[in-house]
Amino acid sequence: MAEQVDGGLLHVDVELDVLSRNDSVAARNRTFFREQRIVALNLMSSPGSGKTTLLEQTIRWFAAANEAAAPSISVIEGDQQTKNDARRIREAGASAVQVNTGDGCHLEASMVARALELLKPPSGSFVMIENVGNLVCPSMFDLGETARVVVISVTEGEDKPLKYPNAFLSADLCVINKIDLLPYLDFDLAALRGNILAVNPDIEIVEASCRQENTSWMQWLLAQSQRLEAENVGC
Ligand code: MG
Ligand code: ZN
């Protein structure tokens, strides 16, 4: 009987219910992205790892690199409060919808579905979903994304992947950010790489910085787009 179930077990049941409802909305988002040939990325990290700055730079690079061929980017910004990041993205030249989660500490698939109604991303484009800065529960909520990206900066601890493994375990790509700061830090990059791969041996890793051209990151993005095109050829 439910009354005899201890608090911990009851909590697990509630959590499973929330997650299964989330999964059905995420499946609808995923179908939408697939039908529209949209690459949707779920970006996860701690606060302050440089997600928004990386997106600003990516938007400007796409615009400059090849006006005719570069896919367009639009952004869903998740933060507890403020519209600051959506404003920054618009100033960089892309469409953005801000989702404020209030007390919530992660984005859910239903929030993304509502944001997509406002954003109206074009077919064949990129939708960047910048999750709430939090390495814990965002990894539990499927948003229907094409791929997951976890960002960690070299101002954080090398052992973060071991402390918060789920975000790294569920991601397809890890961006090691703020790499330009390495000369000023006692940071063991090899140890970080080892910890990332210890948690997830299949993850791809690229290094990035807002002070350089992030060729590996851009190539990874374009590869996602090309992979989607190839998958759709048979449809
Ligand atoms: Mg941000
Ligand atoms: Zn949360």
Side-chain angles (χ1 to χ4, degrees):
M1 285 166 68
E3 304 89 81
Q4 290 172 330
V5 174
D6 75 41
L9 271 177
L10 191 61
H11 174 74
V12 168
D13 289 345
V14 170
E15 196 169 77
L16 285 177
D17 185 43
V18 168
L19 288 174
S20 71
R21 270 187 286 126
N22 182 74
D23 282 351
S24 67
V25 182
R28 287 207 293 276
N29 290 348
R30 184 163 283 115
T31 300
F32 169 77
F33 291 135
R34 194 175 295 133
E35 286 175 354
Q36 296 296 315
R37 294 177 293 104
I38 288 171
V39 177
L41 301 180
N42 179 359
L43 283 92
M44 305 177 294
S45 80
S46 307
S49 67
K51 294 187 299 301
T52 313
T53 306
L54 183 67
L55 289 180
E56 287 175 297
Q57 194 200 29
T58 306
I59 290 159
R60 294 197 165 103
W61 189 87
F62 264 48
N66 190 339
E67 284 168 25
S72 77
I73 297 179
S74 52
V75 180
I76 297 171
E77 280 291 345
D79 283 299
Q80 287 194 320
Q81 299 291 348
T82 85
K83 296 177 178 174
N84 293 354
D85 285 0
R87 179 174 45 75
R88 286 171 59 188
I89 294 297
R90 288 189 202 109
E91 284 170 4
S95 310
V97 169
Q98 181 80 50
V99 177
N100 282 149
T101 56
D103 291 334
C105 41
H106 57 265
L107 290 177
E108 296 186 13
S110 60
M111 300 172 189
V112 170
R114 270 179 281 152
L116 287 170
E117 287 170 17
L118 296 170
L119 199 60
K120 297 182 174 59
S123 300
S125 66
F126 280 85
V127 172
M128 307 292 197
I129 307 167
E130 184 182 335
N131 218 312
V132 178
N134 172 3
L135 266 185
V136 185
C137 45
S139 66
M140 292 167 60
F141 288 83
D142 184 8
L143 304 179
E145 68 270 2
T146 315
R148 282 188 178 188
V149 178
V150 63
V151 182
I152 181 169
S153 70
V154 296
T155 54
E156 302 172 49
E158 295 97 341
D159 58 353
K160 220 166 212 182
L162 304 179
K163 288 178 174 171
Y164 304 102
N166 288 341
F168 294 85
L169 192 59
S170 71
D172 302 284
L173 177 77
C174 179
V175 177
I176 304 178
N177 205 16
K178 306 189 188 181
I179 207 82
D180 56 304
L181 296 179
L182 276 180
Y184 312 103
L185 304 168
D186 292 322
F187 188 87
D188 189 340
L189 187 59
L192 174 66
R193 282 180 164 272
N195 290 337
I196 294 166
L197 292 171
V199 170
N200 182 354
D202 298 322
I203 200 167
E204 288 185 70
I205 301 175
V206 299
E207 295 175 4
S209 143
C210 63
R211 307 245 181 267
Q212 67 186 41
E213 269 196 24
N214 295 312
T215 317
S216 308
W217 160 245
M218 298 301 180
Q219 283 172 346
W220 186 85
L221 289 178
L222 294 174
Q224 303 311 302
S225 176
Q226 285 157 2
R227 189 166 56 83
L228 206 66
E229 291 290 334
E231 281 173 9
N232 273 284
V233 166
C235 294

